[in-house]
Amino acid sequence: MRWKGDRRSSNVEDRRSSSPVSGKLLGGGGIGMLLLVIFSLLFSGGNVDLGSILEGEGAGGNYDTTIVQQANPTADSETSEFASVVFAHLEDYWTAAFSESGRSYTNPTLVLYSGSVRSACGQASSAIGPFYCPGDQKVYLDLSFADELANQFGASGDFAMAYVIAHEVGHHVQYELGITQQIEKLRQQLSETEFNKYSVRQELQADYFAGSFAKYLTGETYNGQPILEVGDIEEAMYAANQIGDDTLQKQAQGYVVPDSFTHGTSAQRVAWFERGYQYGDFEHGDTFSAANLDL
Ligand SMILES: [Zn+2]
């Protein structure tokens, strides 16, 4: 993907500087006190209950990766610039797409953090991977996930990361469309197994929206050159394949439990991304209609 020097989103909150904690902050004085307050804000939630966060219990966030990653506190300015440029493209795309269908669209915020972060959906550690919180309409991203994607999931290439960001913004699109709110009601009414089916459809729709965004980018240029480069779409599809529930479960426990799927199989995720890439409209992205269930 061509991106260096392209427009960056202004809806980015960089919270990475507040994460590293050194002995110096205990040195007293005004700034020490301030840091202490930040420190306690960051960690007052105590131990994060990974189990409940992963299942999204109570919090209502869309948590997308169930693999524990290594914390990497090193700030990566190139990755942050890349994420910001991708976010700006997503703003352009969704604002136009909503406008064309007579709807208004409010941009989400991208929060870059390192290690641990507080959201309206609760305290989260980077172990849960990138997520969207409907409570504050923010996408939370620890940039070390780019390394994780390459090293643990074998999905390298910048467009693999663009797909992940586009998927999270896809959850915001669902919020803007009122779909998230309907799903949350179902969460209260259905058994876990029944609800997981809706959760899978919600995730596959976010993949469809990521595919729609990729289709849009094929028509965009930067400095007179196409933004997408050879292999970009394949990078995204490979990433979608690597983070399917069946693939993740096989890696983690050696067997697959379909009832526990919350994101869809690798084949489903790739299929819905491809469908978005093919059609790029709202109509074909209805993962909830009976006619589309077998896809
Ligand atoms: Zn998701």
Side-chain angles (χ1 to χ4, degrees), residues 50-106:
L50 259 186
S52 69
I53 277 185
L54 290 177
E55 286 152 27
E57 281 176 10
N62 294 106
Y63 302 100
D64 285 312
T65 312
T66 54
I67 295 288
V68 173
Q69 54 178 317
Q70 316 271 324
N72 176 9
T74 313
D76 185 341
S77 62
E78 186 161 284
T79 315
S80 79
E81 184 186 347
F82 174 76
S84 182
V85 169
V86 170
F87 216 68
H89 283 304
L90 283 157
E91 289 167 353
D92 292 344
Y93 171 55
W94 285 114
T95 301
F98 271 65
S99 168
E100 278 164 24
S101 63
R103 302 172 171 108
S104 66
Y105 179 76
T106 305

Side-chain angles (χ1 to χ4, degrees), residues 3-4 8 14 16 72-84 112-114 141-147 161:
W3 60 273
K4 278 189 182 155
R8 298 190 205 186
D14 195 340
R16 289 174 298 163
N72 176 9
T74 313
D76 185 341
S77 62
E78 186 161 284
T79 315
S80 79
E81 184 186 347
F82 174 76
S84 182
L112 302 175
Y113 74 99
S114 181
L141 182 64
D142 184 325
L143 292 174
S144 66
F145 187 73
D147 300 332
M161 192 63 175

Side-chain angles (χ1 to χ4, degrees), residues 148-220:
E148 203 60 23
L149 207 53
N151 300 334
Q152 194 163 343
F153 301 111
S156 56
D158 52 15
F159 211 72
M161 192 63 175
Y163 153 72
V164 168
I165 297 168
H167 172 99
E168 297 308 333
V169 170
H171 286 308
H172 176 69
V173 170
Q174 292 173 322
Y175 175 84
E176 291 284 302
L177 293 171
I179 292 167
T180 310
Q181 295 83 334
Q182 291 171 31
I183 299 280
E184 276 313 300
K185 276 184 203 153
L186 290 174
R187 191 197 293 273
Q188 321 297 330
Q189 298 162 4
L190 301 174
S191 70
E192 194 177 335
T193 302
E194 275 305 300
F195 178 75
N196 280 349
K197 292 177 187 167
Y198 286 90
S199 174
V200 165
R201 285 171 218 180
Q202 189 180 13
E203 292 304 325
L204 294 177
Q205 189 173 54
D207 285 333
Y208 176 91
F209 289 150
S212 307
F213 171 63
K215 176 183 169 66
Y216 156 80
L217 280 185
T218 58
E220 295 297 300

